[in-house]
Amino acid sequence: EVQLVESGGGLVQPGGSLRLSCAASGFTFKSYWMHWVRQAPGKGLVWVSRIDSDGSRTSYADSVKGRFTISRDNAKNTLYLQMNSLRGEDTAVYYCVREGRAGPTTYGHWGQGTLVTVSS
Amino acid sequence: QSVLTQPPSASGTPGQRVTISCSGSSSNIGSNTVNWYQQFPGTAPKLLIYSNDQRPSGVPDRFSGSKSGTSASLAISGLQSEDEADYYCAAWDDSLSGGVFGGGTKVTVL
């Protein structure tokens, strides 16, 4: 069974940093591109970032470019999101998602999400 | 302001057919496939339709998707009370080099 388990969320002050982790199991992690998608409280889904299967190619939403860094450790079956210079508008539930074979926004598997709250 | 445009709400009585539209542009829907997600409060989204009109295993055939040009739509036929949820369309945007979602449509069963 495919499992994606996020961790690392919490309360952080504006300007602070946080690193999210996503532990993957039940599939060959190194074979799949992975993404982060977020959802602010009461709002819609927003794509954040994508990384290819070996970690050599990444892309980001304009709203986080230069502040967030996606990475992965295929030996540990873990996806990361390093978030720096956090702002109030970054407050959201962050989901780790696995890209499906049918294309880059085909997310057949989602984690349960981890809440990041940016507030003083 | 979402890149893909969906109506904020839709409703119907049990048994009715409800359609949700998703409007985009040549850089997203016009050149890539559309996926649809269903989300219940407090839970992660679930893939409902992929590649414009394909249903993952386990999704009832009451749900169907279509795409034409730079627009797509999700139809729910034989609406049931358990279909009350938020629905999102998504596509890759070649100009942004990123994923884009619609703002979501809340479906209410009257």
Side-chain angles (χ1 to χ4, degrees):
Chain A
E1 179 195 2
V2 172
Q3 283 203 320
L4 299 168
V5 180
E6 301 96 336
S7 61
L11 176 64
V12 61
Q13 292 189 336
S17 298
L18 214 54
R19 187 176 85 154
L20 306 183
S21 299
C22 171
S25 61
F27 65 101
T28 306
F29 180 70
K30 65 182 180 181
S31 297
Y32 287 85
W33 294 48
M34 299 292 295
H35 300 236
W36 289 96
V37 173
R38 71 183 182 184
Q39 185 170 34
K43 302 297 184 182
L45 301 170
V46 176
W47 177 83
V48 174
S49 183
R50 176 199 202 192
I51 188 167
D52 72 351
S53 55
D54 67 7
S56 61
R57 285 175 288 175
T58 60
S59 56
Y60 299 91
D62 286 344
S63 58
V64 307
K65 202 172 293 184
R67 300 187 299 122
F68 289 13
T69 302
I70 189 172
S71 63
R72 64 192 296 161
D73 186 334
N74 285 344
K76 294 183 178 179
N77 291 341
T78 303
L79 176 72
Y80 302 101
L81 185 68
Q82 177 66 44
M83 304 185 295
N84 299 331
S85 303
L86 282 161
R87 307 166 180 166
E89 54 264 37
D90 295 320
T91 295
V93 173
Y94 285 74
Y95 293 103
C96 162
V97 295
R98 190 187 86 171
E99 179 177 317
R101 301 301 190 197
T105 60
T106 309
Y107 307 134
H109 298 278
W110 297 65
Q112 85 286 354
T114 187
L115 176 63
V116 172
T117 303
V118 183
S119 175
S120 55
Chain B
Q1 194 81 349
S2 301
V3 174
L4 303 182
T5 301
Q6 296 180 235
S9 63
S11 63
T13 57
Q16 275 191 330
R17 175 184 171 94
V18 169
T19 302
I20 301 169
S21 61
C22 175
S23 178
S25 67
S26 58
S27 63
N28 42 66
I29 294 178
S31 50
N32 294 291
T33 58
V34 177
N35 304 300
W36 289 91
Y37 296 88
Q38 178 189 57
Q39 185 180 34
F40 297 104
T43 68
K46 168 191 166 184
L47 181 63
L48 197 64
I49 296 288
Y50 69 96
S51 296
N52 305 326
D53 57 8
Q54 302 298 301
R55 280 187 310 276
S57 173
V59 173
D61 59 7
R62 303 184 290 104
F63 295 93
S64 62
S66 63
K67 175 185 138 175
S68 178
T70 58
S71 294
S73 63
L74 173 72
I76 311 173
S77 58
L79 190 67
Q80 299 183 6
S81 58
E82 58 259 38
D83 299 333
E84 199 162 272
D86 294 321
Y87 294 83
Y88 296 90
C89 58
W92 191 254
D93 192 297
D94 292 335
S95 295
L96 298 174
S97 294
V100 289
F101 284 92
T105 299
K106 183 176 183 58
V107 169
T108 302
V109 181
L110 302 171

